[in-house]
């Protein structure tokens, strides 16, 4: 049955999100009925070659998934699936990261960010139109050669192994560790976060904590939003510890958390655009001050970029990748 | 590169009659695989990729109702005509017979 599961996984990969559960449940039930019927006729379980022959007769996963789509007037169902996949990859994995990495720091550092916005959107629209145009053109050309895709001569035994069977369940240990870390962080933030952790100087054997006015300002300005984020993260960890199969909900909450982190750090950086443009990492000034603030500003910038990328990745996984195993009522 | 025009025409001819065949077979309750077998036994083989999207479409249109039930230790989805489906089937059957009679005079 491993081959059958690998086949289902391959079909699932290509199916549109809103059809995964229904289509896979029907297809799996049909295939298992066929296997049962043949096994009953043979009086023994099907071997790998026989299962492969049955799956080959059913059709290439791409073709089976393509049959579930409404017919597009200009592209075959199979190529429509690949086209959608390529568009998602290009938009989410290429254009969005390039936009975040390139535009956000520039916007935060600009003297007049509002005036920089139109040029930014113009550049983004230009990239979008060009990418869509080239991809669409490429697929229109590919349409003429689709007979050479080789979907008729495939071997089910070459399908990739089933992945993520274990991942559909979040280990309780992971959730409990996340809960502990978030509660500790929350306690620290609510109580003693006015001083920076891990920032101290040792002079003549005495350990002196370093103070940063920027950190104190951040703590004061973003006290409640950060506390809310930590409560959300702790709540999510607590929930997934009790419901380890709610993988999609956990992903969704993480996206919310990442977007929140990005918004908080971005909001704070907006008030420090000038310092951001003139970052100073000179540790020659003892005690506190600009070099530590420079490190902090860089960290905030990194939070904006990394949280943005994580949120994009999380959204991609929510939108593109499969949820839990197919079957009735399995969509969570 | 271009498929045979005759194949295309046959496919179109067949596609139009599939709905009628499926509705007729679902006057009694069946699950997907037995429905496919019943249609194949009548000389109308259908692959999974054609039948199940069609069943979902007919269900969305309110012509079928489906129900998951445990049978032989496995969950199976049973389909059957809805009251609206029965009404539509009767109308389509009358249309089909009239069309058939007309075509017979032409052919």
């Amino acid at each position: 049955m491993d081959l059958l599961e690998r086949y289902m996984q391959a079909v699932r990969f290509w199916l549109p999100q809103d059809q995964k559960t229904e289509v896979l449940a029907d297809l799996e039930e049909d295939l298992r009925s066929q296997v049962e019927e043949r096994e009953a006729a043979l009086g023994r379980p099907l071997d790998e070659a026989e299962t492969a022959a049955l799956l080959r007769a059913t059709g290439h996963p791409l073709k089976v998934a393509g049959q579930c789509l409404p017919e597009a007037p200009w592209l075959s169902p199979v190529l429509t699936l690949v086209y959608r996949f390529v568009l998602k990859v290009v938009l989410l994995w290429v254009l969005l990261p390039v936009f975040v990495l390139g535009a956000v720091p520039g916007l935060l550092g600009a003297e007049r960010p509002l005036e920089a916005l139109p040029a930014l959107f113009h550049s983004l629209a230009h990239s979008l139109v060009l990418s869509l145009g080239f991809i669409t053109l490429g697929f229109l050309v590919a349409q003429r050669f689709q007979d050479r895709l080789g979907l008729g001569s495939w071997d089910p035994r070459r399908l990739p192994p089933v992945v993520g069977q274990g991942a559909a369940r979040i280990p309780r240990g992971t959730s409990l560790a996340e809960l502990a870390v978030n509660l500790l962080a929350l306690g620290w933030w609510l109580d003693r976060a006015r001083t920076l952790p891990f920032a101290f100087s040792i002079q003549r054997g005495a350990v002196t904590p370093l103070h940063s006015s920027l950190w104190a300002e951040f703590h004061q300005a973003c006290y409640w939003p950060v506390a809310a984020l930590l409560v959300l993260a702790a709540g999510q960890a607590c929930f997934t510890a009790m419901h380890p199969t709610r993988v999609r909900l956990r992903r969704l909450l993480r996206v919310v958390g990442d977007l929140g982190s990005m918004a908080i750090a971005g909001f704070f950086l907006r008030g420090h655009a000038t310092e951001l443009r003139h970052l100073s990492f000179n540790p020659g000034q003892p005690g506190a001050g600009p070099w530590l603030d420079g490190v902090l500003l860089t960290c905030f910038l990194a939070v904006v970029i990394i949280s943005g990328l994580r949120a994009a990745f999380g959204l991609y996984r929510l939108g593109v990748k499969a949820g839990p195993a197919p079957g009735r009522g399995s969509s969570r | 590169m271009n498929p045979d025009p005759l194949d295309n025409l046959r496919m179109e001819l067949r596609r139009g009659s599939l709905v009628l065949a499926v509705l007729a077979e679902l006057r009694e309750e069946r699950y997907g695989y037995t429905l496919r077998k019943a249609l194949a036994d009548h000389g109308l083989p259908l692959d999974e990729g054609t039948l199940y999207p069609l069943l979902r479409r007919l269900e969305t249109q309110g012509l079928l109702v489906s129900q998951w039930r445990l049978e032989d230790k496995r969950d199976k989805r049973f389909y059957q005509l809805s009251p609206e489906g029965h009404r539509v089937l009767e109308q389509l059957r009358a249309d089909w017979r009239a069309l058939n009679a007309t075509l017979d005079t032409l052919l």
Side-chain angles (χ1 to χ4, degrees), chain A residues 286-298:
Chain A
W291 75 270
L292 189 54
D293 289 352
V295 172
L296 280 173
L297 284 174
T298 312

Side-chain angles (χ1 to χ4, degrees), chain A residues 31-217:
Chain A
L31 289 171
R32 287 191 190 278
S33 293
Q34 288 186 55
V35 169
E36 269 182 13
E37 192 179 74
R38 292 194 192 185
E39 285 180 345
L42 291 168
R44 60 169 173 80
L46 293 187
D47 61 24
E48 195 185 52
E50 288 162 339
T51 310
L54 186 147
L55 295 176
R56 213 172 7 252
T58 304
H60 191 283
L62 192 53
K63 186 175 157 234
V64 171
Q67 284 169 322
C68 302
L69 288 181
E71 282 187 32
W74 59 282
L75 211 55
S76 73
V78 166
L79 283 180
T80 304
L81 283 176
V82 186
Y83 178 69
R84 288 160 59 125
F85 175 72
V86 170
L87 278 188
K88 278 177 187 166
V89 170
V90 169
L91 292 180
L92 288 176
W93 284 97
V94 181
L95 286 182
L96 188 64
V98 165
F99 177 70
V100 171
L101 285 171
V104 173
L107 203 60
L108 289 169
E111 283 186 23
R112 293 193 175 104
L114 279 180
E115 287 177 16
L117 268 179
L120 187 69
F121 282 117
H122 178 263
S123 155
L124 182 67
H126 188 251
S127 310
L128 263 176
V129 170
L130 265 184
S131 309
L132 286 177
F134 277 117
I135 292 170
T136 308
L137 204 63
F139 273 85
L140 285 175
V141 174
Q143 170 92 339
R144 298 189 63 82
F145 301 100
Q146 64 167 329
D147 291 344
R148 299 181 197 170
L149 285 174
L151 297 186
S153 57
W154 65 291
D155 185 354
R157 283 168 290 196
R158 290 189 177 177
L159 287 171
V162 177
V163 290
Q165 277 180 324
R169 213 181 156 79
I170 305 154
R172 277 222 165 77
T174 306
S175 300
L176 291 175
E178 278 180 12
L179 179 64
V181 167
N182 281 304
L183 287 178
L184 281 174
L186 183 63
W188 167 76
W189 177 259
L190 294 177
D191 183 27
R192 286 199 299 254
R194 283 174 201 287
T195 54
L196 277 163
F198 313 117
F200 50 82
S201 70
I202 302 174
Q203 287 176 333
R204 294 174 193 165
V207 178
T208 315
L210 292 179
H211 292 280
S212 161
S213 56
L214 192 78
W215 179 258
E217 186 192 333

Side-chain angles (χ1 to χ4, degrees), chain A residues 19 22-23 25-27 29-34 36-37 58 64 67-68 71 144-145 147 328, chain B residues 1-2 15 31-33 36-37 47-50 52-53 56 59 68 72 74-77 79:
Chain A
Q19 297 194 32
E22 292 269 303
V23 172
D26 279 333
L27 183 63
E29 202 286 306
D30 193 293
L31 289 171
R32 287 191 190 278
S33 293
Q34 288 186 55
E36 269 182 13
E37 192 179 74
T58 304
V64 171
Q67 284 169 322
C68 302
E71 282 187 32
R144 298 189 63 82
F145 301 100
D147 291 344
R328 178 172 58 103
Chain B
M1 208 102 74
N2 290 325
R15 195 179 295 160
Y31 65 92
Y33 182 61
R36 231 158 49 79
K37 276 182 67 178
D47 57 33
E48 300 88 340
T50 306
Y52 293 113
R56 271 188 296 282
E59 190 176 15
W68 283 93
D72 298 333
R74 254 209 351 263
D75 261 347
K76 291 174 180 171
R77 189 177 192 171
Y79 295 90

Side-chain angles (χ1 to χ4, degrees), chain A residues 205-275:
Chain A
V207 178
T208 315
L210 292 179
H211 292 280
S212 161
S213 56
L214 192 78
W215 179 258
E217 186 192 333
F218 174 71
H219 187 262
Q220 192 175 12
C222 303
Y223 185 78
W224 289 113
V226 172
L229 268 188
L230 288 169
V231 168
L232 174 77
Q236 172 242 298
C238 186
F239 182 78
T240 48
M242 289 187 289
H243 303 279
T245 55
R246 303 300 295 266
V247 180
R248 284 177 63 78
L249 185 63
R250 183 204 204 205
R251 282 182 192 151
L252 182 68
L253 289 174
R254 284 196 160 184
V255 168
V256 173
D258 286 330
L259 290 174
S261 303
M262 192 174 77
I264 291 171
F267 162 77
F268 187 69
L269 280 180
R270 278 290 295 116
H272 293 273
T274 314
E275 293 101 305

Side-chain angles (χ1 to χ4, degrees), chain B residues 26 58 61-65 80-88:
Chain B
L26 287 177
L58 294 174
Q61 291 169 348
L63 304 182
L64 300 182
V65 285
Q80 195 173 17
L81 280 189
S82 66
E84 174 68 3
H86 278 286
R87 195 182 62 76
V88 168

